[in-house]
Amino acid sequence: RSAIMRAVPDRDTSAEMKVRRLLRPIAPGYRLHRKDVPGKPDVAYLAKKKAIFVHGCFWHGHDCRRGARIPKTNADYWLAKIGRNRARDSRHIAELAERGWRALVVWECELADAPALEARLRAFVGED
């Protein structure tokens, strides 16, 4: 199990790459995984103070079908872990807001509707 968990990537995931492919023609010039920005967002526009997080539905406890699924084994551990992930995500977004940043969370399940996601990204990076 440990080897499987170590193999789960934390950056450059397929979901993140799809979001970056949509962003490239809309608003290039983003930075990736900046450690100097709270929460180390997947995509950051430093000058605009905008951060985009791409969250996997299961890992971050989204309310969709995939995110609401509870593992059959070791359920207590996973529920606690997902709860900690959600609390950490909330802290990061609050810290960004305190510093004058705006944050957008893109859920993995939203990638299925690319035109809607593109419109949402365009609205987020275009507004000031």
Side-chain angles (χ1 to χ4, degrees):
R1 174 102 36 199
S2 294
I4 291 170
M5 293 305 295
R6 271 193 304 275
V8 175
D10 62 342
R11 59 190 310 166
D12 299 333
T13 62
S14 61
E16 188 181 323
M17 298 302 281
K18 287 178 186 176
V19 169
R20 286 167 26 191
R21 252 181 255 120
L22 290 172
L23 280 172
R24 226 172 272 125
I26 296 171
Y30 52 80
R31 298 291 173 249
L32 303 174
H33 312 288
R34 291 296 300 247
K35 292 179 184 177
D36 56 339
V37 179
K40 202 169 85 170
D42 299 307
V43 176
Y45 290 95
L46 302 177
K48 293 182 176 188
K49 288 191 168 186
K50 294 188 179 187
I52 300 173
F53 294 92
V54 182
H55 286 336
C57 294
F58 172 75
W59 301 105
H60 295 268
H62 191 223
D63 295 332
C64 69
R65 187 172 55 91
R66 173 180 244 167
R69 187 177 62 209
I70 298 172
K72 293 177 182 162
T73 58
N74 212 0
D76 292 336
Y77 167 80
W78 285 108
L79 291 174
K81 175 165 182 49
I82 291 167
R84 289 190 309 270
N85 288 350
R86 290 181 78 158
R88 183 195 63 220
D89 295 341
S90 296
R91 277 195 320 273
H92 289 158
I93 290 174
E95 190 175 344
L96 284 168
E98 288 173 12
R99 295 183 183 198
W101 282 67
R102 293 191 27 112
L104 175 71
V105 175
V106 175
W107 293 98
E108 184 180 19
C109 62
E110 293 177 307
L111 298 173
D113 188 359
L117 178 58
E118 182 179 347
R120 190 167 168 230
L121 291 170
R122 189 178 298 277
F124 178 72
V125 295
E127 68 187 20
D128 284 326

